[in-house]
Amino acid sequence: MSNALPKIAWIGLGIMGSPMSENLIKAGYDVTGFTLEQDKLERLAAAGGTAAGSIAEAVRDADVVITMVPASPQVEAISYGPDGILENARSGALLIDMSSITPQTSVGLAKAAKDKGIRVLDAPVSGGEAGAIEAVLSIMVGGEQADFDQAKPIFEALGKTIVLCGPHGSGQTVKAANQLIVAVNIQACAEAVVFLEKSGVDLQAALDVLNGGLAGSTVLTRKRDNFLNRDFKPGFRIDLHHKDMGIVTDAARNVGAALPVGAVVAQLVASLRAQGDGGLDHSALLRAVERLSGAQV
Ligand code: NAD
């Protein structure tokens, strides 16, 4: 690769992909994108990127292809087949999948890509929409050291904490652990909110002082206003956290790790989704606790 910045193709311009790709444009990268929604393509063009009409068109000239789609089936759909990334990207390109998917899917993708001369990193993120906008994401990476080193400047335009966790799939395993911790943390906060309100304590004051002590967390900082205002606009959709609880439950079973509290929270997430709240932010776990506590919400 020359001294010029690598040419980027970005597939998947959703809640995370749009602001992340815009941060690369701000950092001087040439970004060509493709996604399913026309308005998101227009947003990319307005930010200084190039909207492509297909995956093939987006990836054809790219040095680095970045993907940020919902789950394993979408990663497979955009990667494989005659219209997919592996068939249409040039040999020598680096494919960085930043979606949160199963570790096995990442391992399989790396193997299939190798046959085409394409290198792969799994690089899921944590930090939510706000972290994406502010370019302060935590990025957990699986793959080869040399590929990680090449991708580092790109990651530095997107996040603050950037760690190579091990071979292919390791980034996804760490992300699964992240999602376990976040879900359990939100659930504990939601239970505290209902308990505090029913006890007649000033909720705002309580959350402020709690966040200054050992109970404080990034979850409480980022989701405080969602709890106070019952604002459940996503953010991170319950549907996606349901997917992630499935990933961590399955991965833990495979290695014989027991997740008793995680299993209960996975059920609460599934129940919330079954009740029609799958499109809400994951802070809507509060609604599940409220219902269990007798509220009609
Ligand atoms: P989203 O649903 O907002 O966006 C997904 C995008 O993928 C959409 O724009 C869609 O058009 C695109 N897409 C899907 N299938 C496609 C295809 N076949 N071809 C082209 N584009 C396709 O999702 P999101 O919230 O941005 O999440 C993306 C990933 O990041 C997920 O794996 C999620 O778990 C993870 N994540 C999300 C957050 C968050 O707070 N939203 C935080 C960390 C990680």
Side-chain angles (χ1 to χ4, degrees):
M1 200 166 291
S2 74
N3 285 336
L5 289 177
K7 226 172 135 9
I8 311 275
W10 195 293
I11 312 297
L13 297 162
I15 288 176
M16 298 296 283
S18 279
M20 290 169 74
S21 58
E22 286 163 16
N23 283 333
L24 287 187
I25 294 168
K26 281 183 211 145
Y29 289 90
D30 177 346
V31 179
T32 300
F34 177 72
T35 202
L36 299 181
E37 305 86 358
Q38 186 57 33
D39 61 315
K40 298 288 174 61
L41 288 171
E42 285 161 15
R43 175 175 163 174
L44 177 74
T50 305
S54 67
I55 290 171
E57 188 187 325
V59 305
R60 195 169 295 137
D61 301 323
D63 302 305
V64 177
V65 179
I66 305 182
T67 53
M68 193 51 158
V69 294
S72 294
Q74 288 83 12
V75 169
E76 289 174 339
I78 63 176
S79 299
Y80 300 130
D83 302 326
I85 296 165
L86 300 191
E87 239 2 275
N88 292 283
R90 61 172 187 73
S91 179
L94 177 63
L95 169 57
I96 307 175
D97 177 38
M98 305 193 81
S99 325
S100 306
I101 63 172
T102 71
Q104 306 92 281
T105 309
S106 295
V107 171
L109 179 61
K111 277 203 188 110
K114 198 169 182 194
D115 295 340
K116 304 271 176 194
I118 294 171
R119 297 160 295 130
V120 177
L121 293 171
D122 48 297
V125 306
S126 181
E129 184 185 15
I133 294 168
E134 295 161 20
V136 295
L137 293 167
S138 198
I139 307 177
M140 31 214 105
V141 187
E144 300 289 333
Q145 180 76 52
D147 299 334
F148 175 77
D149 293 343
Q150 188 196 336
K152 194 89 186 288
I154 294 172
F155 291 146
E156 282 166 351
L158 302 173
K160 280 266 175 287
T161 309
I162 300 150
V163 178
L164 178 63
C165 301
H168 297 297
S170 306
Q172 298 297 351
T173 302
V174 176
K175 174 65 183 178
N178 183 86
Q179 294 307 83
L180 167 68
I181 295 168
V182 170
V184 169
N185 197 339
I186 293 178
Q187 178 64 20
C189 291
E191 292 183 13
V193 165
V194 172
F195 162 62
L196 288 163
E197 283 192 328
K198 286 205 173 229
S199 306
V201 173
D202 176 347
L203 184 59
Q204 195 162 325
L207 294 185
D208 287 345
V209 71
L210 284 171
N211 210 20
L214 196 54
S217 65
T218 309
V219 161
L220 197 47
T221 302
R222 292 287 198 193
K223 301 299 177 186
R224 172 185 181 277
D225 290 347
N226 301 70
F227 292 138
L228 285 172
N229 305 325
R230 301 298 194 269
D231 174 6
F232 301 125
K233 178 177 168 292
F236 188 74
R237 287 182 284 119
I238 284 286
D239 282 339
L240 289 176
H241 218 137
H242 177 68
K243 173 252 313 178
D244 291 339
M245 294 312 281
I247 292 172
V248 70
T249 302
D250 191 45
R253 282 175 75 125
N254 289 342
V255 296
L259 310 178
V261 177
V264 171
V265 177
Q267 290 296 314
L268 291 165
V269 171
S271 155
L272 199 55
R273 188 166 180 265
Q275 291 172 74
D277 285 347
L280 300 183
D281 186 71
H282 52 175
S283 53
L285 272 168
L286 178 59
R287 284 163 65 81
V289 182
E290 286 179 316
R291 288 182 190 129
L292 286 169
S293 305
Q296 308 282 322
V297 294

